[in-house]
């Protein structure tokens, strides 16, 4: 079972933002492998293209599997100080506003009870590392992850403390397994009550059922008054598949695999070619 918390952490209702110009598009952008290289480099061309899209009145929304604490530095690098971000694969939506004390506030939080999924996954992967997200803080983990893989504060706890309260996301890391083995295992054990995505490595994100980047972006589209035909999404990973299918114009990065390409309407250049820049520059 999942639950939603709205609107903001402070408890004050956030009024819907007025719709932008008729030609405004909602542009959902993945971060890693789409805007940032796999080494974490952000090119000047990407920065300029994002800034130009915003200056033209488009709603540029970072939509990532990253946690809030890992997304805010990227937003700062891109000069995105107002608008919206979709974090944790759609489980957390944040409103950015430089006038706020922290520069952001929680708009919607989708949570679920992770215990059933965690028990199933531990039985299958007894040596795996598990983490659950504490929004805006960091993670509670049963063991530390490799350096640089998780942002924020890390608190190592007993395994049963991982389900002490509802969470937005569970992360499973099992380096000795391949992504294909992860996918086969997830299908076999029947993770029917949650949504999951397997990453490039043996990494799995588990979210509340029905929660994806696409579900969060659709909610923002309605709120912003953007026409369904004026939606664009760019991504490279399996957690982008639903987002690419949702958008009127879904664009896969050139290095994406066949599953991601198959969900897209078109393919742009790879991350090494700054493929997202061409998409952003093509906006009206």
């Amino acid at each position: 079972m999942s639950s939603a918390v709205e609107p903001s952490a402070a408890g004050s209702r956030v009024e819907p933002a007025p719709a932008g110009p008729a030609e405004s598009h909602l542009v959902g952008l993945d971060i890693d492998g789409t805007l940032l290289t796999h080494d974490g480099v952000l090119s000047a061309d990407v920065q300029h293209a994002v800034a130009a899209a915003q200056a033209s009145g488009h709603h540029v929304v970072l939509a990532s599997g990253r946690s809030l604490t890992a997304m805010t530095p990227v937003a700062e690098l891109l000069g995105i100080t107002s608008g919206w971000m979709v974090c944790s694969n759609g489980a957390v939506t944040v409103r950015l506003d430089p006038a706020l004390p922290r520069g952001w506030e929680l708009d919607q939080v989708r949570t679920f009870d992770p215990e059933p999924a965690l028990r199933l996954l531990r039985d299958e992967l007894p040596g795996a590392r598990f983490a659950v997200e504490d929004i805006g803080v960091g993670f509670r983990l049963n063991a530390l992850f490799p350096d640089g893989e998780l942002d924020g504060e890390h608190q190592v706890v007993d395994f049963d403390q991982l389900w002490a309260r509802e969470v937005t996301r569970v992360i499973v890391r099992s380096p000795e397994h391949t992504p294909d083995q992860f996918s086969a295992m997830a299908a076999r054990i029947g993770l029917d009550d949650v949504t999951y995505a397997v990453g490039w490595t043996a990494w799995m994100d588990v979210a509340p059922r029905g929660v994806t980047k696409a579900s969060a972006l659709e909610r923002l589209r309605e709120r912003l008054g953007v026409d369904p035909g004026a939606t664009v999404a760019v991504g490279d990973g399996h957690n982008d598949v639903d987002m690419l299918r949702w958008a009127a114009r879904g664009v896969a990065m050139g290095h994406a695999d066949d599953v991601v390409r198959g969900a897209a309407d078109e393919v742009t250049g790879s991350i090494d070619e700054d493929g997202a820049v061409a998409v952003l520059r093509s906006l009206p």
Side-chain angles (χ1 to χ4, degrees), residues 32 122 164 187:
D32 297 289
R122 182 179 60 176

Side-chain angles (χ1 to χ4, degrees), residues 201-231:
T201 58
W203 174 294
M204 178 187 290
D205 281 309
V206 182
R209 185 174 185 179
V211 172
T212 64
K213 295 182 184 184
S215 65
L217 287 169
E218 174 60 16
R219 176 176 171 272
L220 287 178
R221 183 198 68 76
E222 294 177 349
R223 184 170 190 165
L224 294 166
V226 174
D227 186 271
T231 52

Side-chain angles (χ1 to χ4, degrees), residues 116-132:
L118 280 167
R119 287 187 180 277
L120 279 173
L121 289 165
R122 182 179 60 176
D123 288 345
E124 292 289 328
L125 305 167
R129 303 177 188 190
F130 298 87
V132 295

Side-chain angles (χ1 to χ4, degrees), residues 9-62:
S12 58
R13 181 163 296 278
V14 179
E15 294 300 325
E23 70 275 16
S24 291
H25 284 57
L26 174 56
V27 185
L29 297 175
D30 174 50
I31 293 178
D32 297 289
T34 299
L35 301 180
L36 294 182
T37 70
H38 298 298
D39 294 326
V41 176
L42 177 67
S43 76
D45 283 346
V46 169
Q47 289 177 302
H48 294 156
V50 168
Q54 287 189 297
S56 297
H58 299 299
H59 305 286
V60 177
V61 178
L62 299 180

Side-chain angles (χ1 to χ4, degrees), residues 130-153:
F130 298 87
V132 295
E133 183 179 351
D134 289 331
I135 303 171
V137 177
F139 295 86
R140 282 175 288 129
L141 322 89
N142 72 322
L144 291 175
F145 278 44
D147 287 344
E149 289 195 347
L150 296 176
D151 286 71
E153 298 177 9

